[in-house]
Amino acid sequence: MSTHDTPLHTPLPVAPFPSRRLNRWAEMAWRVAGGVDVRTKILGMVLALTTVLGLAVTLQVRAVMTRVFMEELEGRGVSVASDLASRSVDAILLNDTYTLHELLIETVNNHPDALYAFVLDRDNQVIAHTFGDAGFPAALLNPTLAVTAPNLVGTIRHWVYATNEGRVHEMIAPIMGGNAGVVRLGLTEARLRTVVNTVTGQMILTTLLVALAGIVAAMILTWLLTRPILDLVETTQAVGRGNLQARAPHWADDEIGTLADAFNQMVSDLDASQRTVAEKEQARFELLKKLISAQEEERKRIARELHDGVGQMLTSLMVGMRTLQRSDDASPAAHRMDELCATASETLEQVRTLSRELRPSLLDDLGLAAALERYAGEFARAHPTITVDLHCDLPMRLPGPVETALYRIVQEAMTNAARHGKASTISVLVSRRANAVQAIVEDDGVGFDVAAVRKRQSSVGIFGMTERAELLGGKLDIESGPEGATVYVEIPL
Ligand SMILES: Nc1ncnc2c1ncn2[C@@H]1O[C@H](COP(=O)(O)OP(=O)(O)OP(=O)(O)O)[C@@H](O)[C@H]1O
Ligand SMILES: [Mg+2]
């Protein structure tokens, strides 16, 4: 094996330039054809087809007719000229120019295409002609007028002259083998050309009529074809816009009809499944609403129980202990009683705070603004490192459920800011809009990845805030970055 083997895979030659240009043309044609609607495509095809077909047939018929007519003209000319030559022999021999003249006139009159005839003697002198008073045109004797080379049919020569009135075929027939002169007969193409032109015109007219009929037929066809498709497109767009009641009409039992049925079935199924989802969502919504109101009721009950029951009992316990303490100051138990009194007072304070946290009675009695003021104060006392900045711009009381929801949302957001964000400042802004109430809780803590936390679904706090807002037709957004987190909530009124 030589060391210079040719490689097994020689690179294929790149497509030559013309093919690339062809591709570009095809692409361009497709872009144009693809860009127009179906109606225009079908109309264009019908129009192009009928026109090309009509023109091709017309041109072919015209060519065939012209050829046949010319052959026929030549054949007729040859026979008339030879007949004339043999019939003029007697008159020439008798030197009877009158009879010769009559013979020429009669022949020209009897043949619709005959233009003229004349007889020359052996010396090329005109003996008789049919030009009458106008006189014999000397130019006819000039052979350079001929546009075709003379062709010989038997003993008869045939050539063609061009004149202002069209081409003239001249037949030159020798009389007595040429010894007595020649007869020359002129035949015009004009009549036959007129016939050919008339037929051509009629065929073009027919082509136009056929094209027109084709356009009408194509329009009807495209209307029949595109109407169901356009309906289907319209229905699809309506479904896309969310109207699941839209249905495509079934025009015919063809493929398009089957497509419309399949589409309608699909939309029906989609509608049914969306209805099921909506019903389930509604049920979940109701359940959640009940759960939240039951939770609030339960909190209210426990808070009241703590405040009115346990609180009152602790108070009377303290009063009892104080009375006992004062009645016998010197007893050794008096000092112990002091401590017990302090413990009872602390417990009472804790019970009151717990009761307020569970359900601040202020929220029911004085409204959101007062309850939030109280909560912010307590929050600041419980978190001495955090500055709480609260602005409540609420000229009127809000509906109970809205106040409760906003109170709980602010409570949770502030707790999160302190617990997770390690914030040093929390600002709360609650304000009334035209038809809504808005609350913003902003902290300067470490922030967090909101999307990730929402995806976790185990975060009850954020989930609860969102649900509370949505149950009242509102929405809750959280934005967060390294410089802190902000909770926006808006509830319509
Ligand atoms: N203001 C905030 N700053 C920093 N991280 C936050 C903030 N708020 C929430 N997070 C993050 O989001 C997570 C979810 O908060 P979410 O309130 O839902 O649950 P939780 O506070 O952990 O528990 P729960 O509120 O149910 O007691 C938190 O664990 C915390 O990592
Ligand atoms: Mg939380």
Side-chain angles (χ1 to χ4, degrees):
M1 202 195 232
S2 99
T3 49
H4 293 292
D5 276 343
T6 48
L8 272 177
H9 303 289
T10 40
L12 286 170
V14 183
F17 176 60
S19 124
R20 237 184 293 158
R21 190 156 52 173
L22 215 66
N23 275 351
R24 250 213 318 272
W25 273 95
E27 242 172 60
M28 219 153 74
W30 175 243
R31 251 210 306 279
V32 172
V36 297
D37 54 16
V38 177
R39 184 182 304 243
T40 316
K41 277 193 198 100
I42 295 183
L43 281 183
M45 264 176 340
V46 167
L47 209 62
L49 223 65
T50 42
T51 312
V52 167
L53 204 71
L55 284 182
V57 169
T58 305
L59 289 179
Q60 211 168 359
V61 166
R62 187 183 162 87
V64 169
M65 268 176 80
T66 308
R67 203 185 66 232
V68 169
F69 279 0
M70 292 311 134
E71 281 171 8
E72 193 250 358
L73 186 71
E74 190 187 316
R76 221 154 14 100
V78 166
S79 83
V80 171
S82 67
D83 180 54
L84 200 56
S86 60
R87 283 170 68 194
S88 26
V89 171
D90 286 349
I92 290 175
L93 290 182
L94 294 173
N95 212 3
D96 184 356
T97 40
Y98 176 76
T99 309
L100 193 59
H101 183 253
E102 286 300 300
L103 183 64
L104 292 182
I105 292 280
E106 183 206 319
T107 306
V108 169
N109 285 346
N110 281 346
H111 291 278
D113 299 316
L115 207 56
Y116 61 83
F118 60 92
V119 177
L120 298 178
D121 65 9
R122 315 176 42 147
D123 304 323
N124 258 1
Q125 294 302 311
V126 180
I127 311 173
H129 63 78
T130 56
F131 291 100
D133 297 340
F136 182 80
L140 272 182
L141 295 178
N142 178 7
T144 57
L145 276 181
V147 292
T148 60
N151 94 57
L152 211 57
V153 186
T155 56
I156 294 175
R157 273 191 299 163
H158 162 223
W159 59 33
V160 179
Y161 288 107
T163 71
N164 288 341
E165 286 81 36
R167 287 163 27 126
V168 173
H169 295 243
E170 198 176 83
M171 309 296 161
I172 306 171
I175 304 168
M176 291 177 67
N179 290 325
V182 289
V183 165
R184 287 170 65 167
L185 173 70
L187 298 172
T188 172
E189 282 183 0
R191 191 182 61 93
L192 297 181
R193 289 261 175 219
T194 309
V195 173
V196 170
N197 286 342
T198 309
V199 171
T200 306
Q202 274 172 358
M203 285 188 75
I204 287 177
L205 193 72
T206 310
T207 303
L208 284 181
L209 288 178
V210 168
L212 212 69
I215 287 175
V216 172
M219 275 169 84
I220 294 174
L221 186 73
T222 45
W223 183 71
L224 281 174
L225 272 178
T226 55
R227 188 183 52 165
I229 296 178
L230 289 179
D231 278 342
L232 204 57
V233 170
E234 210 171 281
T235 315
T236 316
Q237 283 167 346
V239 171
R241 285 192 301 268
N243 175 12
L244 293 184
Q245 303 314 312
R247 294 289 181 276
H250 178 107
W251 289 106
D253 290 329
D254 54 8
E255 292 90 334
I256 300 175
T258 314
L259 180 64
D261 290 346
F263 179 78
N264 287 344
Q265 185 58 46
M266 191 188 76
V267 178
S268 295
D269 293 349
L270 189 66
D271 189 25
S273 78
Q274 285 225 338
R275 244 186 257 265
T276 314
V277 170
E279 276 164 15
K280 283 191 178 150
E281 182 63 17
Q282 184 62 29
R284 191 188 70 89
F285 192 78
E286 293 297 332
L287 192 69
L288 216 66
K289 216 163 159 177
K290 277 191 194 135
L291 209 71
I292 285 179
S293 79
Q295 188 194 40
E296 283 303 325
E297 282 307 313
E298 189 60 11
R299 281 181 175 185
K300 229 185 252 183
R301 197 184 64 76
I302 297 172
R304 208 180 309 119
E305 212 54 53
L306 278 176
H307 184 269
D308 299 349
V310 181
Q312 296 306 331
M313 267 145 70
L314 275 174
T315 310
S316 43
L317 191 67
M318 269 167 58
V319 172
M321 282 194 293
R322 288 241 162 80
T323 322
L324 270 180
Q325 189 187 17
R326 266 188 231 111
S327 66
D328 191 2
D329 263 358
S331 92
H335 178 65
R336 183 88 187 100
M337 202 65 88
D338 234 4
E339 283 173 16
L340 286 176
C341 258
T343 310
S345 155
E346 212 171 290
T347 312
L348 182 61
E349 196 44 49
Q350 276 184 9
V351 164
R352 283 199 179 127
T353 309
L354 190 60
S355 155
R356 272 200 301 277
E357 248 174 40
L358 273 170
R359 175 76 195 186
S361 53
L362 264 184
L363 187 58
D364 298 311
D365 301 339
L366 293 180
L368 182 62
L372 283 180
E373 295 281 358
R374 170 71 146 287
Y375 179 70
E378 277 173 6
F379 188 90
R381 268 196 297 287
H383 304 90
T385 54
I386 300 178
T387 314
V388 180
D389 188 10
L390 171 76
H391 287 281
C392 259
D393 179 18
L394 297 172
M396 275 185 293
R397 294 264 333 235
L398 304 168
V402 177
E403 287 195 328
T404 307
L406 284 175
Y407 182 81
R408 294 291 181 214
I409 289 169
V410 172
Q411 201 178 23
E412 173 64 26
M414 286 174 72
T415 310
N416 277 353
R419 221 168 99 195
H420 308 298
K422 310 277 177 280
S424 58
T425 309
I426 301 175
S427 72
V428 181
L429 179 71
V430 184
S431 54
R432 174 86 196 244
R433 309 267 136 184
N435 292 314
V437 56
Q438 191 187 54
I440 301 171
V441 181
E442 191 178 358
D443 70 58
D444 61 353
V446 295
F448 68 109
D449 183 348
V450 182
V453 165
R454 279 201 192 272
K455 227 179 279 168
R456 252 193 350 238
Q457 286 190 337
S458 57
S459 313
V460 179
I462 288 177
F463 176 77
M465 288 200 280
T466 312
E467 284 297 329
R468 278 183 190 273
E470 285 178 359
L471 278 175
L472 295 169
K475 63 180 182 354
L476 183 135
D477 286 321
I478 304 175
E479 278 174 15
S480 186
E483 68 292 337
T486 310
V487 176
Y488 300 91
V489 58
E490 187 168 293
I491 296 175
L493 294 173

